[in-house]
């Protein structure tokens, strides 16, 4: 699932609903300008019971941030809300916990989104 003409500006929220596969090790939601320039790489990993967030600049990964609050499981249907603020991203998890990640590239607009791995998007709204 990839979108190349997303028009997400600072202050916008993105709601993503979907189902997590029964047999997955994890999934990824990417936001940025392209697959090689990502402002937010949101990667829940079931095999490690962790959510890894990172950013990518000119195909190079930066310092990852790990959050041990994995509140959903394989086979479940979930809703994620990603708030794009001027200085950071806030990802609201289904139980209300928030994962914060800095807007390291100081982007004021996000044009690229992808969802990969064991997550089937049923709806999304900007």
């Amino acid at each position: 699932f990839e979108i190349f003409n997303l028009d997400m500006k600072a202050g916008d929220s993105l709601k993503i609903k979907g189902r997590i596969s029964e047999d997955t090790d994890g999934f990824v939601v990417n936001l940025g300008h392209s697959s090689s320039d990502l402002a937010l790489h949101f990667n829940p990993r079931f095999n490690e019971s962790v959510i890894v967030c990172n950013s990518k600049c000119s195909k190079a990964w930066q310092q990852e941030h790990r959050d041990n609050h994995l509140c959903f499981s394989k086979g479940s249907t979930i809703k994620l809300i990603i708030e794009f603020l001027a200085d950071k991203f806030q990802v609201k998890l289904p139980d209300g916990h928030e994962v914060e990640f800095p807007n390291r590239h100081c982007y004021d607009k996000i044009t690229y989104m992808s969802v990969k791995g064991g997550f089937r998007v049923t709806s999304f709204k900007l």
Side-chain angles (χ1 to χ4, degrees):
F1 185 87
E2 266 184 314
I3 297 173
F4 295 93
N5 60 347
L6 192 70
D7 186 21
M8 188 175 185
K9 295 180 261 327
D12 287 349
S13 288
L14 180 68
K15 295 181 175 108
I16 304 172
K17 283 185 193 165
R19 182 164 172 80
I20 302 168
S21 317
E22 298 277 359
D23 58 353
T24 187
D25 282 337
F27 64 91
V28 175
V29 177
N30 288 319
L31 294 173
H33 284 180
S34 69
S35 60
S36 53
D37 285 292
L38 299 175
L40 175 67
H41 169 80
F42 178 81
N43 177 209
R45 297 179 186 173
F46 296 107
N47 55 347
E48 298 178 51
S49 294
V50 70
I51 296 172
V52 175
C53 292
N54 206 341
S55 52
K56 192 193 269 190
C57 189
S58 304
K59 297 184 182 171
W61 288 108
Q62 297 175 309
Q63 174 98 34
E64 68 179 30
H65 165 81
R66 298 170 84 86
D67 189 309
N68 293 322
H69 190 92
L70 192 61
C71 65
F72 40 84
S73 56
K74 297 179 187 186
S76 59
T77 299
I78 63 165
K79 177 171 86 172
L80 298 171
I81 301 170
I82 302 172
E83 279 188 85
F84 174 34
L85 305 168
D87 61 336
K88 66 185 172 187
F89 293 88
Q90 279 183 296
V91 184
K92 287 191 179 139
L93 304 181
D95 69 347
H97 181 78
E98 289 186 2
V99 176
E100 288 192 0
F101 188 73
N103 180 5
R104 292 174 174 165
H105 302 327
C106 299
Y107 286 166
D108 57 2
K109 192 173 169 187
I110 300 290
T111 53
Y112 174 82
M113 171 184 155
S114 70
V115 181
K116 296 178 166 40
F119 186 78
R120 197 178 85 242
V121 176
T122 53
S123 73
F124 79 97
K125 181 179 166 189
L126 182 59

